[in-house]
mmCIF file of all heavy atoms in Angstrom:
data_model
loop_
_atom_site.group_PDB
_atom_site.id
_atom_site.type_symbol
_atom_site.label_atom_id
_atom_site.label_comp_id
_atom_site.label_asym_id
_atom_site.label_seq_id
_atom_site.Cartn_x
_atom_site.Cartn_y
_atom_site.Cartn_z
ATOM 1 N N PRO M 1110 5.011 20.579 -0.148
ATOM 2 C CA PRO M 1110 3.562 20.395 -0.011
ATOM 3 C C PRO M 1110 3.018 19.210 -0.793
ATOM 4 O O PRO M 1110 1.838 18.881 -0.677
ATOM 5 C CB PRO M 1110 3.002 21.706 -0.571
ATOM 6 C CG PRO M 1110 3.983 22.091 -1.635
ATOM 7 C CD PRO M 1110 5.339 21.653 -1.110
ATOM 8 N N TRP M 1111 3.872 18.540 -1.581
ATOM 9 C CA TRP M 1111 3.404 17.460 -2.436
ATOM 10 C C TRP M 1111 3.421 16.103 -1.756
ATOM 11 O O TRP M 1111 2.676 15.208 -2.162
ATOM 12 C CB TRP M 1111 4.240 17.392 -3.720
ATOM 13 C CG TRP M 1111 3.920 18.463 -4.711
ATOM 14 C CD1 TRP M 1111 4.577 19.642 -4.885
ATOM 15 C CD2 TRP M 1111 2.851 18.462 -5.667
ATOM 16 N NE1 TRP M 1111 3.989 20.380 -5.893
ATOM 17 C CE2 TRP M 1111 2.927 19.670 -6.386
ATOM 18 C CE3 TRP M 1111 1.842 17.541 -5.988
ATOM 19 C CZ2 TRP M 1111 2.036 19.994 -7.399
ATOM 20 C CZ3 TRP M 1111 0.953 17.863 -7.005
ATOM 21 C CH2 TRP M 1111 1.050 19.071 -7.696
ATOM 22 N N ILE M 1112 4.281 15.919 -0.773
ATOM 23 C CA ILE M 1112 4.412 14.594 -0.154
ATOM 24 C C ILE M 1112 4.455 14.712 1.367
ATOM 25 O O ILE M 1112 4.916 15.724 1.905
ATOM 26 C CB ILE M 1112 5.677 13.859 -0.647
ATOM 27 C CG1 ILE M 1112 6.947 14.572 -0.162
ATOM 28 C CG2 ILE M 1112 5.677 13.731 -2.166
ATOM 29 C CD1 ILE M 1112 8.211 13.794 -0.408
ATOM 30 N N PRO M 1113 3.996 13.695 2.082
ATOM 31 C CA PRO M 1113 4.030 13.721 3.552
ATOM 32 C C PRO M 1113 5.425 13.354 4.069
ATOM 33 O O PRO M 1113 5.711 12.187 4.373
ATOM 34 C CB PRO M 1113 2.977 12.690 3.949
ATOM 35 C CG PRO M 1113 2.961 11.719 2.805
ATOM 36 C CD PRO M 1113 3.271 12.523 1.571
ATOM 37 N N VAL M 1114 6.291 14.339 4.162
ATOM 38 C CA VAL M 1114 7.667 14.085 4.571
ATOM 39 C C VAL M 1114 7.728 13.538 5.995
ATOM 40 O O VAL M 1114 8.479 12.608 6.282
ATOM 41 C CB VAL M 1114 8.517 15.365 4.427
ATOM 42 C CG1 VAL M 1114 9.924 15.145 5.010
ATOM 43 C CG2 VAL M 1114 8.621 15.776 2.958
ATOM 44 N N ALA M 1115 6.939 14.102 6.911
ATOM 45 C CA ALA M 1115 6.993 13.655 8.306
ATOM 46 C C ALA M 1115 6.649 12.172 8.422
ATOM 47 O O ALA M 1115 7.326 11.413 9.138
ATOM 48 C CB ALA M 1115 6.048 14.490 9.158
ATOM 49 N N GLU M 1116 5.623 11.729 7.706
ATOM 50 C CA GLU M 1116 5.243 10.318 7.732
ATOM 51 C C GLU M 1116 6.333 9.457 7.113
ATOM 52 O O GLU M 1116 6.625 8.349 7.588
ATOM 53 C CB GLU M 1116 3.925 10.124 6.987
ATOM 54 C CG GLU M 1116 3.420 8.688 6.932
ATOM 55 C CD GLU M 1116 3.064 8.142 8.312
ATOM 56 O OE1 GLU M 1116 2.792 8.950 9.224
ATOM 57 O OE2 GLU M 1116 3.074 6.904 8.466
ATOM 58 N N THR M 1117 6.959 9.962 6.057
ATOM 59 C CA THR M 1117 8.025 9.216 5.401
ATOM 60 C C THR M 1117 9.237 9.050 6.313
ATOM 61 O O THR M 1117 9.865 7.983 6.341
ATOM 62 C CB THR M 1117 8.435 9.926 4.100
ATOM 63 O OG1 THR M 1117 7.340 9.850 3.170
ATOM 64 C CG2 THR M 1117 9.657 9.284 3.468
ATOM 65 N N LEU M 1118 9.566 10.079 7.075
ATOM 66 C CA LEU M 1118 10.699 9.978 7.989
ATOM 67 C C LEU M 1118 10.444 8.908 9.049
ATOM 68 O O LEU M 1118 11.366 8.178 9.447
ATOM 69 C CB LEU M 1118 10.973 11.327 8.643
ATOM 70 C CG LEU M 1118 11.443 12.444 7.698
ATOM 71 C CD1 LEU M 1118 11.653 13.746 8.472
ATOM 72 C CD2 LEU M 1118 12.721 12.055 6.970
ATOM 73 N N LYS M 1119 9.203 8.783 9.504
ATOM 74 C CA LYS M 1119 8.870 7.718 10.447
ATOM 75 C C LYS M 1119 9.102 6.348 9.824
ATOM 76 O O LYS M 1119 9.621 5.430 10.468
ATOM 77 C CB LYS M 1119 7.414 7.847 10.898
ATOM 78 C CG LYS M 1119 7.107 9.080 11.746
ATOM 79 C CD LYS M 1119 5.643 9.130 12.094
ATOM 80 C CE LYS M 1119 5.307 10.392 12.878
ATOM 81 N NZ LYS M 1119 3.845 10.478 13.178
ATOM 82 N N LYS M 1120 8.723 6.210 8.560
ATOM 83 C CA LYS M 1120 8.906 4.934 7.884
ATOM 84 C C LYS M 1120 10.383 4.632 7.651
ATOM 85 O O LYS M 1120 10.818 3.478 7.727
ATOM 86 C CB LYS M 1120 8.125 4.920 6.566
ATOM 87 C CG LYS M 1120 6.616 4.825 6.765
ATOM 88 C CD LYS M 1120 5.879 4.740 5.456
ATOM 89 C CE LYS M 1120 4.398 4.450 5.669
ATOM 90 N NZ LYS M 1120 4.164 3.080 6.195
ATOM 91 N N LEU M 1121 11.178 5.650 7.378
ATOM 92 C CA LEU M 1121 12.608 5.443 7.219
ATOM 93 C C LEU M 1121 13.242 5.009 8.535
ATOM 94 O O LEU M 1121 14.137 4.151 8.555
ATOM 95 C CB LEU M 1121 13.275 6.715 6.706
ATOM 96 C CG LEU M 1121 13.078 7.010 5.212
ATOM 97 C CD1 LEU M 1121 13.544 8.418 4.881
ATOM 98 C CD2 LEU M 1121 13.817 5.995 4.347
ATOM 99 N N GLN M 1122 12.784 5.582 9.620
ATOM 100 C CA GLN M 1122 13.292 5.162 10.928
ATOM 101 C C GLN M 1122 12.912 3.712 11.214
ATOM 102 O O GLN M 1122 13.709 2.942 11.768
ATOM 103 C CB GLN M 1122 12.749 6.098 12.014
ATOM 104 C CG GLN M 1122 13.339 7.502 11.931
ATOM 105 C CD GLN M 1122 12.566 8.533 12.729
ATOM 106 O OE1 GLN M 1122 11.633 8.185 13.461
ATOM 107 N NE2 GLN M 1122 12.935 9.783 12.597
ATOM 108 N N GLU M 1123 11.703 3.339 10.795
ATOM 109 C CA GLU M 1123 11.290 1.946 10.945
ATOM 110 C C GLU M 1123 12.160 1.033 10.084
ATOM 111 O O GLU M 1123 12.604 -0.035 10.527
ATOM 112 C CB GLU M 1123 9.820 1.798 10.549
ATOM 113 C CG GLU M 1123 9.303 0.372 10.612
ATOM 114 C CD GLU M 1123 7.873 0.245 10.094
ATOM 115 O OE1 GLU M 1123 7.198 1.280 9.929
ATOM 116 O OE2 GLU M 1123 7.446 -0.897 9.835
ATOM 117 N N LEU M 1124 12.424 1.471 8.849
ATOM 118 C CA LEU M 1124 13.242 0.674 7.943
ATOM 119 C C LEU M 1124 14.668 0.525 8.467
ATOM 120 O O LEU M 1124 15.306 -0.513 8.260
ATOM 121 C CB LEU M 1124 13.255 1.312 6.554
ATOM 122 C CG LEU M 1124 13.885 0.510 5.418
ATOM 123 C CD1 LEU M 1124 13.123 -0.778 5.166
ATOM 124 C CD2 LEU M 1124 13.925 1.362 4.139
ATOM 125 N N SER M 1125 15.160 1.545 9.175
ATOM 126 C CA SER M 1125 16.532 1.489 9.680
ATOM 127 C C SER M 1125 16.718 0.383 10.717
ATOM 128 O O SER M 1125 17.843 -0.053 10.974
ATOM 129 C CB SER M 1125 16.934 2.836 10.278
ATOM 130 O OG SER M 1125 16.202 3.104 11.469
ATOM 131 N N GLY M 1126 15.618 -0.067 11.314
ATOM 132 C CA GLY M 1126 15.714 -1.180 12.245
ATOM 133 C C GLY M 1126 15.868 -2.521 11.564
ATOM 134 O O GLY M 1126 16.199 -3.518 12.222
ATOM 135 N N ARG M 1127 15.640 -2.545 10.243
ATOM 136 C CA ARG M 1127 15.712 -3.798 9.489
ATOM 137 C C ARG M 1127 16.956 -3.879 8.612
ATOM 138 O O ARG M 1127 17.471 -4.965 8.358
ATOM 139 C CB ARG M 1127 14.489 -3.949 8.584
ATOM 140 C CG ARG M 1127 13.145 -3.828 9.284
ATOM 141 C CD ARG M 1127 12.041 -4.063 8.265
ATOM 142 N NE ARG M 1127 10.717 -3.805 8.823
ATOM 143 C CZ ARG M 1127 9.590 -3.992 8.144
ATOM 144 N NH1 ARG M 1127 9.644 -4.436 6.887
ATOM 145 N NH2 ARG M 1127 8.421 -3.739 8.702
ATOM 146 N N GLN M 1128 17.397 -2.748 8.096
ATOM 147 C CA GLN M 1128 18.524 -2.765 7.173
ATOM 148 C C GLN M 1128 19.322 -1.480 7.321
ATOM 149 O O GLN M 1128 18.816 -0.465 7.812
ATOM 150 C CB GLN M 1128 18.032 -2.941 5.731
ATOM 151 C CG GLN M 1128 17.093 -1.855 5.220
ATOM 152 C CD GLN M 1128 16.401 -2.274 3.932
ATOM 153 O OE1 GLN M 1128 15.470 -3.065 3.953
ATOM 154 N NE2 GLN M 1128 16.859 -1.757 2.800
ATOM 155 N N HIS M 1129 20.569 -1.540 6.861
ATOM 156 C CA HIS M 1129 21.482 -0.426 7.094
ATOM 157 C C HIS M 1129 22.176 0.032 5.813
ATOM 158 O O HIS M 1129 23.273 0.583 5.873
ATOM 159 C CB HIS M 1129 22.530 -0.838 8.140
ATOM 160 C CG HIS M 1129 21.936 -1.382 9.395
ATOM 161 N ND1 HIS M 1129 21.324 -0.581 10.342
ATOM 162 C CD2 HIS M 1129 21.812 -2.653 9.852
ATOM 163 C CE1 HIS M 1129 20.872 -1.328 11.339
ATOM 164 N NE2 HIS M 1129 21.149 -2.590 11.061
ATOM 165 N N ASN M 1130 21.523 -0.162 4.687
ATOM 166 C CA ASN M 1130 22.131 0.182 3.405
ATOM 167 C C ASN M 1130 21.615 1.499 2.851
ATOM 168 O O ASN M 1130 21.660 1.727 1.646
ATOM 169 C CB ASN M 1130 21.890 -0.932 2.377
ATOM 170 C CG ASN M 1130 20.405 -1.126 2.083
ATOM 171 O OD1 ASN M 1130 19.565 -0.987 2.968
ATOM 172 N ND2 ASN M 1130 20.087 -1.453 0.840
ATOM 173 N N PHE M 1131 21.115 2.381 3.713
ATOM 174 C CA PHE M 1131 20.602 3.647 3.198
ATOM 175 C C PHE M 1131 20.911 4.783 4.168
ATOM 176 O O PHE M 1131 21.152 4.588 5.354
ATOM 177 C CB PHE M 1131 19.095 3.570 2.934
ATOM 178 C CG PHE M 1131 18.254 3.485 4.180
ATOM 179 C CD1 PHE M 1131 17.767 4.627 4.793
ATOM 180 C CD2 PHE M 1131 17.950 2.248 4.740
ATOM 181 C CE1 PHE M 1131 16.997 4.542 5.947
ATOM 182 C CE2 PHE M 1131 17.181 2.151 5.885
ATOM 183 C CZ PHE M 1131 16.696 3.304 6.492
ATOM 184 N N GLU M 1132 20.885 5.985 3.602
ATOM 185 C CA GLU M 1132 21.007 7.209 4.376
ATOM 186 C C GLU M 1132 19.901 8.150 3.918
ATOM 187 O O GLU M 1132 19.378 8.013 2.802
ATOM 188 C CB GLU M 1132 22.380 7.854 4.157
ATOM 189 C CG GLU M 1132 23.550 6.994 4.599
ATOM 190 C CD GLU M 1132 24.885 7.630 4.252
ATOM 191 O OE1 GLU M 1132 25.239 8.635 4.895
ATOM 192 O OE2 GLU M 1132 25.554 7.118 3.323
ATOM 193 N N TYR M 1133 19.561 9.098 4.758
ATOM 194 C CA TYR M 1133 18.556 10.077 4.335
ATOM 195 C C TYR M 1133 18.879 11.445 4.917
ATOM 196 O O TYR M 1133 19.594 11.570 5.915
ATOM 197 C CB TYR M 1133 17.144 9.643 4.705
ATOM 198 C CG TYR M 1133 16.857 9.489 6.184
ATOM 199 C CD1 TYR M 1133 16.346 10.549 6.925
ATOM 200 C CD2 TYR M 1133 17.066 8.266 6.821
ATOM 201 C CE1 TYR M 1133 16.057 10.400 8.275
ATOM 202 C CE2 TYR M 1133 16.780 8.104 8.166
ATOM 203 C CZ TYR M 1133 16.274 9.182 8.886
ATOM 204 O OH TYR M 1133 15.991 9.023 10.217
ATOM 205 N N ALA M 1134 18.369 12.471 4.252
ATOM 206 C CA ALA M 1134 18.620 13.845 4.672
ATOM 207 C C ALA M 1134 17.406 14.700 4.363
ATOM 208 O O ALA M 1134 16.720 14.489 3.356
ATOM 209 C CB ALA M 1134 19.846 14.405 3.951
ATOM 210 N N VAL M 1135 17.140 15.660 5.245
ATOM 211 C CA VAL M 1135 16.136 16.689 5.004
ATOM 212 C C VAL M 1135 16.882 17.963 4.629
ATOM 213 O O VAL M 1135 17.744 18.439 5.385
ATOM 214 C CB VAL M 1135 15.250 16.919 6.239
ATOM 215 C CG1 VAL M 1135 14.278 18.072 5.994
ATOM 216 C CG2 VAL M 1135 14.481 15.647 6.595
ATOM 217 N N ILE M 1136 16.575 18.491 3.463
ATOM 218 C CA ILE M 1136 17.294 19.640 2.924
ATOM 219 C C ILE M 1136 16.601 20.935 3.361
ATOM 220 O O ILE M 1136 15.409 21.115 3.118
ATOM 221 C CB ILE M 1136 17.359 19.567 1.389
ATOM 222 C CG1 ILE M 1136 18.010 18.239 0.956
ATOM 223 C CG2 ILE M 1136 18.122 20.756 0.830
ATOM 224 C CD1 ILE M 1136 19.382 18.000 1.494
ATOM 225 N N PRO M 1137 17.318 21.841 4.022
ATOM 226 C CA PRO M 1137 16.692 23.085 4.485
ATOM 227 C C PRO M 1137 16.342 24.023 3.330
ATOM 228 O O PRO M 1137 17.024 24.045 2.302
ATOM 229 C CB PRO M 1137 17.762 23.703 5.387
ATOM 230 C CG PRO M 1137 19.056 23.153 4.882
ATOM 231 C CD PRO M 1137 18.748 21.760 4.407
ATOM 232 N N ASN M 1138 15.261 24.754 3.532
ATOM 233 C CA ASN M 1138 14.817 25.770 2.557
ATOM 234 C C ASN M 1138 14.652 25.176 1.162
ATOM 235 O O ASN M 1138 15.134 25.728 0.170
ATOM 236 C CB ASN M 1138 15.799 26.943 2.518
ATOM 237 C CG ASN M 1138 15.944 27.623 3.859
ATOM 238 O OD1 ASN M 1138 14.943 27.947 4.504
ATOM 239 N ND2 ASN M 1138 17.172 27.831 4.306
ATOM 240 N N ALA M 1139 13.956 24.046 1.105
ATOM 241 C CA ALA M 1139 13.769 23.367 -0.180
ATOM 242 C C ALA M 1139 12.356 22.818 -0.279
ATOM 243 O O ALA M 1139 11.790 22.338 0.702
ATOM 244 C CB ALA M 1139 14.783 22.232 -0.336
ATOM 245 N N ASN M 1140 11.797 22.881 -1.481
ATOM 246 C CA ASN M 1140 10.466 22.325 -1.732
ATOM 247 C C ASN M 1140 10.605 20.986 -2.463
ATOM 248 O O ASN M 1140 11.648 20.334 -2.405
ATOM 249 C CB ASN M 1140 9.595 23.327 -2.492
ATOM 250 C CG ASN M 1140 10.088 23.589 -3.911
ATOM 251 O OD1 ASN M 1140 11.047 22.978 -4.402
ATOM 252 N ND2 ASN M 1140 9.434 24.500 -4.601
ATOM 253 N N HIS M 1141 9.577 20.584 -3.171
ATOM 254 C CA HIS M 1141 9.556 19.280 -3.831
ATOM 255 C C HIS M 1141 10.643 19.148 -4.886
ATOM 256 O O HIS M 1141 11.244 18.085 -5.046
ATOM 257 C CB HIS M 1141 8.175 19.082 -4.467
ATOM 258 C CG HIS M 1141 7.900 17.685 -4.937
ATOM 259 N ND1 HIS M 1141 7.803 16.620 -4.079
ATOM 260 C CD2 HIS M 1141 7.695 17.179 -6.191
ATOM 261 C CE1 HIS M 1141 7.540 15.520 -4.758
ATOM 262 N NE2 HIS M 1141 7.484 15.824 -6.044
ATOM 263 N N GLU M 1142 10.897 20.234 -5.621
ATOM 264 C CA GLU M 1142 11.901 20.218 -6.693
ATOM 265 C C GLU M 1142 13.265 20.662 -6.197
ATOM 266 O O GLU M 1142 14.150 20.946 -6.997
ATOM 267 C CB GLU M 1142 11.447 21.123 -7.848
ATOM 268 C CG GLU M 1142 10.200 20.669 -8.573
ATOM 269 C CD GLU M 1142 8.908 21.043 -7.824
ATOM 270 O OE1 GLU M 1142 8.966 21.933 -6.937
ATOM 271 O OE2 GLU M 1142 7.865 20.433 -8.117
ATOM 272 N N MET M 1143 13.459 20.738 -4.882
ATOM 273 C CA MET M 1143 14.696 21.233 -4.279
ATOM 274 C C MET M 1143 14.959 22.681 -4.670
ATOM 275 O O MET M 1143 16.106 23.118 -4.791
ATOM 276 C CB MET M 1143 15.891 20.342 -4.654
ATOM 277 C CG MET M 1143 15.797 18.951 -4.060
ATOM 278 S SD MET M 1143 15.927 18.983 -2.250
ATOM 279 C CE MET M 1143 14.977 17.532 -1.790
ATOM 280 N N MET M 1144 13.872 23.432 -4.830
ATOM 281 C CA MET M 1144 13.941 24.866 -5.071
ATOM 282 C C MET M 1144 13.556 25.611 -3.800
ATOM 283 O O MET M 1144 13.079 25.012 -2.834
ATOM 284 C CB MET M 1144 13.000 25.256 -6.221
ATOM 285 C CG MET M 1144 13.314 24.592 -7.543
ATOM 286 S SD MET M 1144 12.094 24.977 -8.828
ATOM 287 C CE MET M 1144 12.388 26.740 -9.044
ATOM 288 N N SER M 1145 13.732 26.921 -3.810
ATOM 289 C CA SER M 1145 13.309 27.728 -2.672
ATOM 290 C C SER M 1145 11.803 27.617 -2.497
ATOM 291 O O SER M 1145 11.044 27.691 -3.468
ATOM 292 C CB SER M 1145 13.684 29.199 -2.898
ATOM 293 O OG SER M 1145 13.061 30.022 -1.936
#
C-alpha cells in the first residue's frame, strides 16, 4: 500500500526497451517490507 507497484511495472517495461541490465519480480503474498 506504500508504493504504486502497477505504475512502476509499466515504467520497468518502458525501461526494458532501452536497456537490458536489469531484472524484476513481483513477490506473492508480500507487502512493502516483504512481510505477509
Side-chain angles (χ1 to χ4, degrees):
W1111 285 97
I1112 67 170
V1114 173
E1116 180 65 23
T1117 293
L1118 294 179
K1119 293 178 183 178
K1120 288 183 172 292
L1121 283 169
Q1122 291 164 7
E1123 177 185 346
L1124 189 63
S1125 68
R1127 306 183 187 183
Q1128 60 194 77
H1129 307 286
N1130 63 325
F1131 70 91
E1132 298 175 71
Y1133 62 92
V1135 176
I1136 304 302
N1138 301 311
N1140 67 4
H1141 192 65
E1142 295 80 18
M1143 293 294 152
M1144 300 175 66
S1145 169

